[in-house]
Amino acid sequence: MITRKKIIAGNWKMNKTSADGVALVRDIVAAVGKQADVEVVVCPPFTGLEAAGKALEGSNVRLGAQNMHHEAAGAFTGEVSAPMLRAIFTTHVILGHSERRLYFGETDETVNRKLLAALKNQLRPIFCVGETLAERESGATLKVVQTQVERGLEGVGKDHAPSVTVAYEPVWALGTGKVATTEQAQEVHAFIRGLLVKLFGEPAAQKVRILYGGSMKPSNAPELLAQKDIDGGLIGGAALEARSFVELVNAAAAAR
Ligand code: 13P
């Protein structure tokens, strides 16, 4: 049986100045910087990436961005590219977050372009999918997730598949305090695993980590992380304080 190393990734969204981010990273490094059983990733805003990267140097904590453009360079005012992220030792990049789809017009097609560009540049995508409340209530959850997964991963070869991490984030659970039940989450995670098997074959699909995101916190994490297909968490609010984030890393270590 394959054991997948769990990932706890903090999506800071539009929070923390560079200096505040450094302070948070220092606290995280002091507590779990040597953690080798869980992949720990922090994703500051662009302005805080480089300083956070320096603060985590020498630890096992990894650096992620929250978005990128699919082109390497050019006339794209306000954008940042994969080679630029790589140059400051970014290893991961969140792509297709529902807030980007909702507020910034990202589509399955643009997310797919970014994902392919990230892989080409040896960045590990944390690829987000998830349904809205209206979609869940109309019974469309699995169909919506299927379309996002299939379109987002178009053109990814099976050799690259294990570098991709999928994050299932039901939109209605983001920042709302409403968490999906373990059964709701595991159902969608298992469904995503099945889609990955169809796309990449069993061995590659079994290596892909599928994270849950949506009001995950120390009180609900152990039960979620104990599920067969829940390989970690993409954390918003609880990633903004060292204490709760570190507790989540420890919960993931205990759930191995
Ligand atoms: P919350 O943990 O604040 O619900 O946010 C989750 C999220 O959107 C992570 O990407």
Side-chain angles (χ1 to χ4, degrees), residues 11 13 94 97 99 128 169 173-177 213-216 234-238:
N11 175 9
K13 308 192 179 183
I94 298 171
H97 192 280
E99 288 150 16
C128 304
E169 299 205 315
L174 301 192
T176 57
S215 300
M216 199 192 246
L234 182 55
I235 321 296

Short mmCIF file of all heavy atoms in Angstrom, two decimals, residues 11 13 94 97 99 128 169 173-177 213-216 234-238, ligand 1:
data_model
loop_
_atom_site.label_atom_id
_atom_site.label_comp_id
_atom_site.label_asym_id
_atom_site.label_seq_id
_atom_site.Cartn_x
_atom_site.Cartn_y
_atom_site.Cartn_z
N ASN A 11 -2.50 28.99 3.14
CA ASN A 11 -2.80 30.01 2.14
C ASN A 11 -3.12 31.29 2.89
O ASN A 11 -4.21 31.45 3.43
CB ASN A 11 -3.99 29.56 1.28
CG ASN A 11 -4.43 30.63 0.29
OD1 ASN A 11 -3.74 31.64 0.12
ND2 ASN A 11 -5.56 30.40 -0.36
N LYS A 13 -3.62 34.16 1.73
CA LYS A 13 -4.47 35.07 0.95
C LYS A 13 -3.87 36.48 1.02
O LYS A 13 -2.66 36.63 1.08
CB LYS A 13 -5.91 34.99 1.44
CG LYS A 13 -6.42 33.53 1.48
CD LYS A 13 -7.89 33.37 1.67
CE LYS A 13 -8.25 31.90 1.67
NZ LYS A 13 -9.67 31.64 1.79
N ILE A 94 -0.22 27.76 -5.66
CA ILE A 94 -1.66 27.48 -5.63
C ILE A 94 -2.25 27.96 -6.96
O ILE A 94 -1.97 29.08 -7.39
CB ILE A 94 -2.33 28.25 -4.46
CG1 ILE A 94 -1.76 27.79 -3.12
CG2 ILE A 94 -3.85 28.07 -4.49
CD1 ILE A 94 -2.22 28.65 -1.92
N HIS A 97 -7.59 28.73 -7.34
CA HIS A 97 -8.36 28.92 -6.10
C HIS A 97 -9.72 29.51 -6.44
O HIS A 97 -9.83 30.34 -7.36
CB HIS A 97 -7.59 29.84 -5.14
CG HIS A 97 -8.18 29.83 -3.77
ND1 HIS A 97 -9.29 30.56 -3.44
CD2 HIS A 97 -7.83 29.14 -2.65
CE1 HIS A 97 -9.60 30.33 -2.17
NE2 HIS A 97 -8.73 29.47 -1.67
N GLU A 99 -11.41 31.77 -5.15
CA GLU A 99 -11.46 33.24 -5.11
C GLU A 99 -10.91 33.83 -6.41
O GLU A 99 -11.37 34.87 -6.87
CB GLU A 99 -10.69 33.75 -3.88
CG GLU A 99 -11.47 33.47 -2.59
CD GLU A 99 -10.62 33.24 -1.36
OE1 GLU A 99 -9.42 33.59 -1.36
OE2 GLU A 99 -11.16 32.69 -0.38
N CYS A 128 -6.72 23.78 -7.19
CA CYS A 128 -7.96 23.83 -6.39
C CYS A 128 -9.21 23.59 -7.23
O CYS A 128 -9.35 24.15 -8.32
CB CYS A 128 -8.10 25.20 -5.73
SG CYS A 128 -6.70 25.66 -4.71
N GLU A 169 -11.81 22.16 -2.27
CA GLU A 169 -12.28 23.24 -1.40
C GLU A 169 -13.72 23.57 -1.75
O GLU A 169 -13.97 24.35 -2.69
CB GLU A 169 -11.42 24.48 -1.59
CG GLU A 169 -9.96 24.27 -1.25
CD GLU A 169 -9.26 25.58 -0.85
OE1 GLU A 169 -9.45 26.61 -1.52
OE2 GLU A 169 -8.55 25.54 0.16
N ALA A 173 -17.63 26.35 2.18
CA ALA A 173 -16.95 26.10 3.45
C ALA A 173 -15.76 27.03 3.67
O ALA A 173 -15.10 26.97 4.69
CB ALA A 173 -16.48 24.64 3.53
N LEU A 174 -15.49 27.92 2.69
CA LEU A 174 -14.29 28.76 2.79
C LEU A 174 -14.55 29.99 3.66
O LEU A 174 -15.40 30.81 3.31
CB LEU A 174 -13.82 29.24 1.41
CG LEU A 174 -13.45 28.17 0.40
CD1 LEU A 174 -12.74 28.79 -0.79
CD2 LEU A 174 -12.60 27.07 1.01
N GLY A 175 -13.85 30.08 4.76
CA GLY A 175 -13.93 31.26 5.61
C GLY A 175 -15.30 31.44 6.25
O GLY A 175 -15.59 32.49 6.81
N THR A 176 -16.13 30.42 6.18
CA THR A 176 -17.50 30.55 6.67
C THR A 176 -17.66 29.88 8.03
O THR A 176 -18.69 30.03 8.67
CB THR A 176 -18.49 29.87 5.70
OG1 THR A 176 -18.09 28.49 5.57
CG2 THR A 176 -18.48 30.53 4.35
N GLY A 177 -16.66 29.08 8.43
CA GLY A 177 -16.80 28.31 9.65
C GLY A 177 -17.57 27.02 9.41
O GLY A 177 -17.63 26.14 10.25
N GLY A 213 -9.77 21.67 1.90
CA GLY A 213 -9.68 23.06 2.33
C GLY A 213 -11.07 23.61 2.59
O GLY A 213 -12.00 23.38 1.81
N GLY A 214 -11.22 24.34 3.67
CA GLY A 214 -12.51 24.95 4.00
C GLY A 214 -12.74 24.86 5.49
O GLY A 214 -13.19 23.83 6.00
N SER A 215 -12.35 25.95 6.20
CA SER A 215 -12.56 26.02 7.65
C SER A 215 -11.92 24.84 8.39
O SER A 215 -12.46 24.36 9.39
CB SER A 215 -14.05 26.12 7.98
OG SER A 215 -14.60 27.28 7.39
N MET A 216 -10.78 24.37 7.89
CA MET A 216 -10.07 23.32 8.64
C MET A 216 -9.37 23.97 9.81
O MET A 216 -8.74 25.01 9.67
CB MET A 216 -9.07 22.58 7.77
CG MET A 216 -8.68 21.22 8.36
SD MET A 216 -7.26 20.48 7.55
CE MET A 216 -7.97 19.06 6.78
N LEU A 234 -5.41 22.48 2.97
CA LEU A 234 -5.05 23.81 2.50
C LEU A 234 -5.80 24.76 3.43
O LEU A 234 -7.03 24.80 3.44
CB LEU A 234 -5.46 24.00 1.04
CG LEU A 234 -5.10 25.34 0.39
CD1 LEU A 234 -3.62 25.65 0.49
CD2 LEU A 234 -5.50 25.34 -1.10
N ILE A 235 -5.03 25.49 4.21
CA ILE A 235 -5.59 26.19 5.36
C ILE A 235 -5.60 27.69 5.12
O ILE A 235 -4.56 28.27 4.78
CB ILE A 235 -4.70 25.92 6.62
CG1 ILE A 235 -4.20 24.46 6.68
CG2 ILE A 235 -5.43 26.34 7.89
CD1 ILE A 235 -5.26 23.43 6.83
N GLY A 236 -6.73 28.33 5.36
CA GLY A 236 -6.81 29.79 5.25
C GLY A 236 -6.65 30.43 6.62
O GLY A 236 -5.54 30.63 7.13
N GLY A 237 -7.76 30.74 7.26
CA GLY A 237 -7.76 31.47 8.53
C GLY A 237 -6.81 30.90 9.58
O GLY A 237 -6.06 31.66 10.22
N ALA A 238 -6.82 29.60 9.75
CA ALA A 238 -6.02 28.98 10.82
C ALA A 238 -4.52 28.96 10.48
O ALA A 238 -3.70 28.55 11.31
CB ALA A 238 -6.52 27.57 11.11
P1 13P B 1 -10.40 28.93 5.39
O1 13P B 1 -9.53 27.89 6.05
O2 13P B 1 -10.25 30.28 5.98
O3 13P B 1 -11.83 28.46 5.28
O4 13P B 1 -9.88 29.07 3.87
C1 13P B 1 -9.63 27.93 3.15
C2 13P B 1 -9.00 28.30 1.86
O5 13P B 1 -9.58 28.98 1.03
C3 13P B 1 -7.62 27.83 1.62
O6 13P B 1 -7.23 28.03 0.32
#
